[in-house]
Amino acid sequence: MSLPVLYSFRRCPYAIRARMAIAASESSVELREVVLKHKPESMIKISPKATVPVLQLQDGILEESLDIMQWALAQSDPLQLGLADSIASGEELIADNDGEFKSWLDKYKYADRHPEMTAAEYRTKACMFLDKLEQQLQQHNYLTGENLSFTDVAIFPFIRQFAYVDIEWFKSSNYPALVAWLNTMLEHDLFTSVMNKYTPWQENTIGVEFPSKDDSSE
Ligand SMILES: N[C@@H](CCC(=O)N[C@@H](CS)C(=O)NCC(=O)O)C(=O)O
């Protein structure tokens, strides 16, 4: 039987969270690496909104990363990322992340394209969300408790992106617990195992099996 097909882009934070959940679920998919400037016709055909990630299942299409995460963990969840109470307590944080924070993050990252404010001003706006995360992480190791959860996986790729806009600033910021959490997440197998580099997929070819069977994450 053919595998579900995941259209993905290595560095996209939404695609990273989806791949992490798929890896955590120990499911296999056929990964098709997309170049955002040249999205494959076959992807646009099944998902005209044309964002990654997209998961094509036998019986439907999932075109929101959070839905792909939920689907994966419904298949199997050995790490117990998707415990109902941790999902409930993280819902608001994820909504803040995907909403206001993401929009400040984009402006901070591409401040030259948004001259209304300086990069430092955009960063200050984004920090309202980091304050909340720091508060959570002062209380426990992960965002919703002592264990890694859906919420950590959903939010981490965006904090990674934020941190690397100016890593020196981030490391010396007022967010010691967040810096420690980011380091833990960056070193976690779940992350390193989903960052392999793939050559872009070509129409009418078979993508690569993901997670890859060999263990060589770079
Ligand atoms: N709400 C979507 C957002 C996905 C998204 O915006 N992905 C970006 C890449 S990080 C994208 O595909 N943008 C379209 C483009 O760049 O053309 C999700 O959660 O999956």
Side-chain angles (χ1 to χ4, degrees), residues 12-14 17 36 39 49-53 63-66 98:
C12 165
Y14 300 98
R17 61 159 58 146
L36 289 178
K39 291 173 195 148
K49 83 179 174 89
T51 61
V52 289
E63 47 188 353
E64 287 296 326
S65 53
L66 294 175
D98 288 21

Side-chain angles (χ1 to χ4, degrees), residues 150-163:
F150 186 95
T151 305
D152 299 286
V153 173
I155 291 177
F156 150 72
F158 299 84
I159 303 305
R160 169 180 177 264
Q161 209 172 59
F162 176 93

Side-chain angles (χ1 to χ4, degrees), residues 23 30 82 88 97 112 121 126 130 163 179 183-184 186 191 199 216 218:
E30 175 191 332
N97 177 82
D112 50 338
E121 285 168 331
L130 302 195
V179 170
N183 279 336
T184 304
L186 288 170
F191 172 61
T199 49
S216 60
E218 42 71 60

Side-chain angles (χ1 to χ4, degrees), residues 56-123:
Q56 182 175 17
L57 299 164
Q58 296 283 347
D59 56 354
I61 309 292
L62 298 178
E63 47 188 353
E64 287 296 326
S65 53
L66 294 175
D67 293 340
I68 297 173
M69 290 180 69
Q70 299 273 16
W71 170 84
L73 299 174
Q75 307 309 302
S76 135
D77 186 8
L79 301 177
Q80 299 198 306
L81 300 181
L83 293 178
D85 53 344
S86 78
I87 290 202
S89 67
E91 252 170 23
E92 204 180 308
L93 285 180
I94 295 174
D96 275 8
N97 177 82
D98 288 21
E100 208 178 344
F101 175 70
K102 167 70 169 131
S103 120
W104 293 126
L105 167 61
D106 287 345
K107 292 191 168 116
Y108 172 42
K109 195 170 170 203
Y110 302 110
D112 50 338
R113 298 182 203 164
H114 302 278
E116 305 79 37
M117 280 162 60
T118 63
E121 285 168 331
Y122 287 127
R123 184 172 63 204

Side-chain angles (χ1 to χ4, degrees), residues 12-13 25 34 36 66 115 127 153 165 174 176 206 208:
C12 165
S25 75
V34 166
L36 289 178
L66 294 175
C127 283
V153 173
V165 176
N174 278 334
I206 298 183
V208 292

